[in-house]
Amino acid sequence: MKYARIAGTGSYLPKRVMENAELEQMVDTSDQWIRERTGIERRHIADDSETTCDLAEAAARNAIEMADVSVNDIDLVIVATTTADCVFPSVACLLQSRLGITNASPAFDVQAVCAGFVYALGVADSFIKAGNAKTVLVVGAETFSRILNWQDRNTCVLFGDGAGAVVLKASDGPGIHSTHLHADGRYEELLHVPEGVSRGYADMQQQAYVQMRGSEVFRMAVSKLSEVADETLKANNFDESDLDWLVPHQANLRIIKATARKLSMTMEKVVVTVQDHGNTSAASIPLALDVAVRDGRIKTGETMLLEGFGGGFTWGSALVTF
Ligand code: ACO
């Protein structure tokens, strides 16, 4: 059997940085509240002219360069996003064309909000294990700023834009040991953008914005992330002490700390970027991964747990040896 191994990582952040102080001018909030409740200090925001595919392309090119593969070796492109450029084609198809991939291999988007990257990684892993792909580009990319109500302090302070990518190659050993994906669709009311193409829009300004009951989402996230971590370790006969790194979805420093505590991991073994990126939804895990690979923290042969939780609810994890 073949395994999927990460051959390269990449990321991209829009140039514009929005500090918490700027948000103080827009809504009734404070730098202190945002830092204490979330750990966020700043986030990057895409220019009006920059789309999700632009961010995805920049991250993908970095990952492809590190993996040292030719673009026409890529036989599957998966983009995890909630903020596609347009209704269709998918960002994955747009990206395939931008990168000059002309081998007619499949390309599609995965929509699982903040769990999107682990979902996409799980799908890619299945393709490789089944022998249906050998070199897969997996991207998490978002322009979440486009679906925020900048007058709603409950949500607008939390999110940012960005993209992260990995190139997976078929290999004789792990790589990805296993992925564990879950959803429970009964909680739509707690976290959603309730309007859209088929339901229509409530008014002519087409206001399709994130709405969240934060504290309820918080409780659910902590509990499900802890469950899926246990499930992943058990499935692989691993112990918490076998983990070199935790690379979690970056929504809230308190959620990250709670998850690390449950895994008995010190914060030195946890990759944290939420202070600089905010919550970039599907982009947050591959962005954090790329930061820690490029600054030399995550080294070849080390084992890490990736995990994410998002709207749906959706959640999942991947146990990966780099
Ligand atoms: N500035 C100042 N005060 C605020 C702000 C703000 N930006 N936002 C909310 N408040 C107020 C609230 O109105 C509330 O005031 P009240 O007590 O007078 O009603 C008070 O702060 C406390 O609100 P809580 O919601 O209880 O605060 P909490 O400690 O839970 O923190 C937060 C809120 C940061 C949103 C937290 O609940 C959280 O991180 N939730 C999970 C987010 C998450 O993981 N989402 C999943 C992924 S996202 C996705 O999939 C799209």
Side-chain angles (χ1 to χ4, degrees):
M1 188 179 74
K2 287 288 179 189
Y3 291 88
R5 191 167 196 114
I6 297 177
T9 64
S11 61
Y12 176 78
L13 289 158
K15 301 263 169 313
R16 181 166 179 238
V17 176
M18 184 187 278
E19 301 284 344
N20 289 347
E22 199 177 329
L23 286 155
E24 289 177 350
Q25 311 304 313
M26 296 161 68
V27 287
D28 181 13
T29 191
S30 66
D31 175 47
Q32 190 191 354
W33 189 96
I34 301 171
R35 280 174 196 252
E36 283 176 7
R37 306 297 259 213
T38 72
I40 299 168
E41 296 171 23
R42 59 191 65 81
R43 71 288 292 139
H44 292 248
I45 302 292
D47 279 349
D48 288 346
S49 63
E50 247 177 338
T51 69
T52 293
C53 191
D54 295 328
L55 276 47
E57 181 185 353
R61 286 191 186 281
N62 290 336
I64 290 166
E65 192 187 355
M66 189 191 285
D68 197 21
V69 294
S70 132
V71 288
N72 273 301
D73 289 340
I74 295 171
D75 51 10
L76 174 63
V77 178
I78 309 179
V79 177
T81 189
T82 311
T83 48
D85 290 38
C86 49
V87 174
F88 67 83
S90 64
V91 177
C93 283
L94 299 175
L95 180 62
Q96 189 204 46
S97 163
R98 293 263 196 104
L99 293 172
I101 302 172
T102 53
N103 56 16
S105 57
F108 55 87
D109 289 356
V110 165
Q111 209 278 50
V113 205
C114 301
F117 183 75
V118 283
Y119 263 63
L121 205 64
V123 174
D125 183 45
S126 300
F127 266 75
I128 289 179
K129 281 192 169 131
N132 291 327
K134 288 196 176 70
T135 307
V136 184
L137 173 64
V138 183
V139 184
E142 303 276 17
T143 44
F144 231 71
S145 60
R146 305 272 156 77
I147 55 167
L148 296 177
N149 176 353
W150 290 96
Q151 268 102 56
D152 178 9
R153 70 177 184 173
N154 291 297
T155 52
C156 75
V157 304
L158 304 174
F159 296 93
D161 299 333
V166 298
V167 173
L168 299 175
K169 283 175 82 170
S171 148
D172 290 329
I176 298 179
H177 297 264
S178 65
T179 61
H180 302 266
L181 309 180
H182 295 282
D184 189 336
R186 291 174 296 173
Y187 297 94
E188 182 190 347
E189 297 297 315
L190 299 190
L191 176 55
H192 56 161
V193 176
E195 304 180 347
V197 178
S198 188
R199 282 187 183 170
Y201 297 93
D203 64 40
M204 295 308 287
Q205 289 169 338
Q206 302 198 346
Q207 297 192 29
Y209 298 134
V210 175
Q211 295 174 27
M212 178 166 72
R213 298 205 330 235
S215 53
E216 289 158 86
V217 175
F218 187 101
R219 280 196 294 278
M220 196 78 169
V222 170
S223 134
K224 293 299 168 194
L225 288 171
S226 157
E227 273 174 36
V228 82
D230 285 347
E231 177 189 342
T232 311
L233 293 176
K234 271 203 193 90
N236 291 283
N237 255 330
F238 267 55
D239 189 68
E240 291 146 353
S241 61
D242 295 323
L243 292 176
D244 296 301
W245 296 101
L246 173 66
V247 187
H249 171 51
Q250 311 282 321
N252 185 313
L253 187 58
R254 291 187 291 142
I255 296 178
I256 295 173
K257 282 185 170 166
T259 310
R261 236 184 345 262
K262 295 219 160 146
L263 284 166
S264 309
M265 292 179 88
T266 61
M267 288 308 286
E268 287 74 49
K269 294 175 101 186
V270 183
V271 180
V272 181
T273 54
V274 70
Q275 71 283 359
D276 295 324
H277 301 170
N279 179 350
T280 57
S281 184
S284 94
I285 295 173
L287 251 166
L289 175 64
D290 186 52
V291 166
V293 165
R294 284 179 193 265
D295 70 19
R297 270 180 289 171
I298 296 179
K299 298 182 184 65
T300 306
E302 291 188 327
T303 297
M304 57 198 164
L305 181 69
L306 316 182
E307 56 169 25
F309 179 90
F313 288 131
T314 51
W315 64 99
S317 65
L319 185 71
V320 183
T321 298
F322 185 67

